[in-house]
Amino acid sequence: MLLRDAGKGCRAHLDGWCARVPGIHQCTDTQDVAHHTLGKAVTGDDPQHLVAACAACNLHIGDPARHVDPPDRPVTQW
């Protein structure tokens, strides 16, 4: 996973995972840890659900399994 994401910076931040959790943190744009995008309890260490992340973003996001995505809102105007 770290080899796959090498040179891409903090994928958790770039892919928008941080924006799903309110609050402010400082992304270091390094690849220090693996972030489990669906939660480790849900998918284990399946590389399909791992992205390279900085420790600050990983701690800010926490366990994604405990955060529920907001419901979809229909778009009525463009």
Side-chain angles (χ1 to χ4, degrees):
M1 177 271 318
L2 288 176
L3 287 175
R4 177 194 70 198
D5 293 344
K8 297 179 183 174
C10 177
R11 288 270 318 273
H13 195 82
L14 295 172
D15 292 353
W17 289 96
C18 296
R20 297 176 185 202
V21 181
I24 298 173
H25 67 287
Q26 184 64 42
C27 177
T28 61
D29 203 34
T30 59
Q31 297 177 336
D32 304 320
V33 297
H35 174 65
H36 296 78
T37 59
L38 299 177
K40 187 171 183 171
V42 176
T43 61
D45 289 328
D46 182 349
Q48 181 179 353
H49 301 288
L50 294 174
V51 294
C54 72
C57 287
N58 194 47
L59 289 172
H60 173 75
I61 299 166
D63 183 2
R66 73 167 196 238
H67 302 292
V68 178
D69 282 342
D72 291 336
R73 292 183 307 189
V75 176
T76 58
Q77 291 181 329
W78 292 100

